[in-house]
Amino acid sequence: MAANKTTRTDASVEDFLATIPEPRQSDARELTTLLTELAGCRPALWGDSIVGFGERHLVYPSGRELDWFEIGFSPRKTSLTLYLTEGFDRYAELLARLGPHKHTVSCLHLKRLADADRDVLTELLAGSIAAARAS
């Protein structure tokens, strides 16, 4: 089995955030502050562009294993991409109230943090962290 290409690094999250152009940088810094509070741990850089919080060991039905973060995000060029490893099946009601967004199996895409309802986003992220810790 191939090794996971995205792993936790010792690179500085602060140095990484400093390279992000505005206004995405401000959104990334605000999200870092929120997730640090919700997760109760410091962020780490995973790969070269994902800010992750916490760590867990995943084992898939196929037998594949990997170390991954509990929750994370990447300030991509066109959106903030949040990685919620438990997916969105349980969050339909929250997603309906969140504001403009797109989502795939485990990724939530926000064009601008200001467009999201902050209370709903906080509830969604806190629920995702709790679910990741319970599994």
Side-chain angles (χ1 to χ4, degrees), residues 1 5 7 10 12 18 27-28 30-31 36 41 46 51 53 57 59 65 80 87-88 90-91 95 97 107 110 120 127:
M1 232 175 253
K5 294 178 183 179
T7 59
D10 292 328
S12 166
D27 283 353
E30 190 172 337
L31 199 50
T36 297
C41 59
W46 288 71
V51 179
F53 298 81
H57 186 74
V59 180
E65 296 185 42
L80 283 172
F88 296 99
R90 65 181 84 196
Y91 300 115
L95 291 172
R97 296 186 295 123
C107 296
L110 301 172
V120 173

Side-chain angles (χ1 to χ4, degrees), residues 67-105:
D67 292 319
W68 201 240
F69 44 83
E70 293 174 331
I71 194 164
F73 76 93
S74 184
R76 305 284 183 201
K77 188 173 187 176
T78 60
S79 68
L80 283 172
T81 300
L82 290 102
Y83 301 96
L84 288 73
T85 55
E86 299 301 316
F88 296 99
D89 291 341
R90 65 181 84 196
Y91 300 115
E93 187 272 329
L94 287 173
L95 291 172
R97 296 186 295 123
L98 179 61
H101 71 279
K102 293 181 182 180
H103 71 278
T104 56
V105 175

Side-chain angles (χ1 to χ4, degrees):
M1 232 175 253
N4 187 22
K5 294 178 183 179
T6 305
T7 59
R8 185 182 180 126
T9 72
D10 292 328
S12 166
V13 171
E14 179 55 40
D15 289 350
F16 167 66
L17 294 177
T19 68
I20 310 292
E22 288 295 351
R24 186 84 56 226
Q25 183 181 137
S26 293
D27 283 353
R29 289 184 184 284
E30 190 172 337
L31 199 50
T32 298
T33 299
L34 176 61
L35 287 171
T36 297
E37 180 181 317
L38 292 175
C41 59
R42 297 174 52 95
L45 198 63
W46 288 71
D48 58 4
S49 64
I50 299 175
V51 179
F53 298 81
E55 192 166 348
R56 58 194 252 167
H57 186 74
L58 300 174
V59 180
Y60 291 94
S62 66
R64 179 177 181 222
E65 296 185 42
L66 67 114
D67 292 319
W68 201 240
F69 44 83
E70 293 174 331
I71 194 164
F73 76 93
S74 184
R76 305 284 183 201
K77 188 173 187 176
T78 60
S79 68
L80 283 172
T81 300
L82 290 102
Y83 301 96
L84 288 73
T85 55
E86 299 301 316
F88 296 99
D89 291 341
R90 65 181 84 196
Y91 300 115
E93 187 272 329
L94 287 173
L95 291 172
R97 296 186 295 123
L98 179 61
H101 71 279
K102 293 181 182 180
H103 71 278
T104 56
V105 175
S106 294
C107 296
L108 175 67
H109 305 278
L110 301 172
K111 282 198 179 254
R112 296 175 1 134
L113 199 54
D115 292 341
D117 180 302
R118 196 58 48 94
D119 292 335
V120 173
L121 181 62
T122 299
E123 187 176 346
L124 177 67
L125 298 175
S128 180
I129 292 166
R133 291 179 178 168
S135 64

